[in-house]
């Protein structure tokens, strides 16, 4: 049986709420040193999911900074990280940094980030938990994973975020979702 478009629309119940609400539509960028998204963290949502896919112009670090009122915060970033690949598992810790280092790329291969941000819009420390899939050397044997536990430890209410690279440029896309507070 074939349905018309009006029948299909009617078949979807009203009042359905999504668990994730897009607060920043997928945004592409090309050969830039940084990208920003202001006014995305509001009291409408407590927690957020960010998806970022990118590659860099050279071997590089992808960095994150929170923003308040259009100004990036450059203090109090702390990170614990677990990195695993086909031959090793390593950990590292960075404290009191000027940005949050999400992970390194070798410039030739794309990497994917999914991370949750907790209470960024509240004047308390902001926690971050993330996963990173990386292709360090190639798409076949260069696969690596990263588990990231981090925070920005100042009691600051943030409304935006900035992604940047340590040197050179990067190309990719990102989107930001708020976790719904209702059912």
């Amino acid at each position: 049986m074939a349905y018309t478009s009006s029948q299909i629309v009617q078949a979807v119940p009203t009042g359905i709420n999504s668990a994730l609400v897009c607060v920043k539509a997928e945004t592409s960028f090309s050969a830039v040193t940084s990208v920003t998204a202001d006014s995305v963290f509001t009291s409408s949502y407590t927690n957020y999911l960010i998806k970022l896919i990118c590659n860099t112009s050279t071997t590089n670090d992808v960095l994150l900074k929170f923003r308040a009122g259009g100004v990036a915060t450059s203090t109090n970033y702390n990170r614990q990280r677990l990195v695993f690949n086909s031959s090793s598992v390593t950990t590292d810790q960075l404290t009191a940094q000027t940005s949050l280092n999400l992970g390194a790329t070798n410039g030739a291969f794309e990497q994917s980030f999914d991370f949750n941000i907790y209470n960024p819009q509240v004047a308390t420390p902001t926690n971050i938990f993330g996963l990173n899939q990386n292709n360090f050397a190639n798409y076949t044997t260069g696969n690596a994973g990263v588990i990231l536990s981090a925070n920005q430890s100042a009691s600051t209410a943030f409304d935006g975020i900035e992604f940047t690279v340590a040197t050179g440029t990067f190309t990719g896309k990102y989107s930001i979702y708020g976790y719904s507070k209702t059912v």
Side-chain angles (χ1 to χ4, degrees):
M1 170 183 242
Y3 293 97
T4 67
S5 60
S6 64
Q7 289 171 317
I8 292 171
V9 171
Q10 291 173 0
V12 177
T14 59
I16 291 180
N17 292 321
S18 174
L20 288 173
V21 179
C22 187
V23 297
K24 177 69 174 168
E26 184 173 283
T27 303
S28 297
F29 54 93
S30 180
V32 298
T33 58
S34 69
V35 292
T36 61
D38 289 325
S39 303
V40 292
F41 303 138
T42 69
S43 61
S44 296
Y45 307 99
T46 304
N47 305 310
Y48 295 82
L49 171 67
I50 297 182
K51 298 181 120 359
L52 170 66
I53 300 169
C54 65
N55 64 340
T56 57
S57 60
T58 62
T59 299
N60 215 333
D61 291 323
V62 178
L63 310 170
L64 172 152
K65 289 184 178 184
F66 288 111
R67 294 169 60 87
V71 177
T73 298
S74 297
T75 58
N76 300 316
Y77 294 93
N78 307 289
R79 174 195 86 185
Q80 181 70 40
R81 184 174 69 166
L82 172 73
V83 180
F84 51 96
N85 61 31
S86 64
S87 61
S88 68
V89 175
T90 60
T91 62
D92 65 6
Q93 182 179 54
L94 296 171
T95 60
Q97 300 296 298
T98 59
S99 61
L100 177 59
N101 185 323
L102 296 174
T105 69
N106 74 352
F109 301 96
E110 200 169 72
Q111 67 176 328
S112 305
F113 301 92
D114 280 356
F115 50 97
N116 288 290
I117 299 177
Y118 303 94
N119 279 329
Q121 74 293 351
V122 178
T124 60
T126 300
N127 293 321
I128 302 124
F129 181 81
L131 303 172
N132 174 1
Q133 186 282 328
N134 200 314
N135 301 292
F136 283 114
N138 58 62
Y139 286 117
T140 307
T141 60
N143 285 316
V146 178
I147 299 173
L148 175 78
S149 177
N151 66 43
Q152 201 293 335
S153 59
S155 293
T156 303
F158 299 109
D159 59 15
I161 196 162
E162 176 180 5
F163 300 107
T164 186
V165 285
T167 60
T169 62
F170 67 141
T171 297
K173 57 190 167 195
Y174 71 95
S175 52
I176 303 173
Y177 303 87
Y179 285 98
S180 176
K181 293 181 179 183
T182 61
V183 292

